[in-house]
Amino acid sequence: HKTLFEDIRAETTIMANLKKKQYYSTLLEKNKGNVKAIYDVVNRELDRKQETPIPATQDIGQLTKDFNEYFNEKIIKIRKGLPAIGNSCVNETVPIFTDGYL
């Protein structure tokens, strides 16, 4: 009886895996060209939870200031790593954004 059980279990596992393969192949084929839908399927099946990309806040003004400060610091770091060009420096060619002025 043990051998019969193992044979049936192996056959059932093969059938289940084939059914999964067919299901996902159909799902991916149906969403061919829709990258977002494909990533949604992959992330759902891998049980990935996406965190909120923007911090929750009640003060949108403070949030924009924080983003501005963060990216200004990044720009300053990048500029410091760039070589001087001719008589001027890249650091002087592009202004840093301040207080929401673009």
Side-chain angles (χ1 to χ4, degrees):
H1 292 19
K2 185 177 180 181
T3 307
L4 180 62
F5 168 76
E6 289 172 348
D7 290 344
I8 293 172
R9 182 182 63 191
E11 189 175 332
T12 304
T13 300
I14 290 169
M15 289 170 49
N17 288 336
L18 179 61
K19 198 68 174 167
K20 279 185 190 179
K21 182 179 178 182
Q22 290 172 343
Y23 169 76
Y24 288 113
S25 293
T26 302
L27 190 60
L28 293 174
E29 184 64 31
K30 185 173 78 173
N31 290 303
K32 188 173 164 179
N34 185 347
V35 176
K36 183 185 179 331
I38 292 172
Y39 272 101
D40 287 345
V41 169
V42 171
N43 287 332
R44 182 181 66 239
E45 294 307 313
L46 294 177
D47 200 26
R48 294 181 183 163
K49 304 285 186 231
Q50 183 178 8
E51 295 183 24
T52 305
I54 299 176
T57 183
Q58 298 297 321
D59 185 359
I60 195 73
Q62 184 60 47
L63 180 62
T64 56
K65 287 179 184 177
D66 291 345
F67 271 107
N68 186 37
E69 182 178 317
Y70 173 80
F71 286 107
N72 280 336
E73 289 174 7
K74 288 287 187 184
I75 291 169
I76 290 168
K77 287 179 184 177
I78 291 169
R79 286 179 178 176
K80 285 181 180 177
L82 295 175
I85 300 174
N87 290 335
S88 74
C89 180
V90 172
N91 294 345
E92 300 169 354
T93 61
V94 180
I96 299 272
F97 302 120
T98 58
D99 295 330
Y101 294 104
L102 297 176

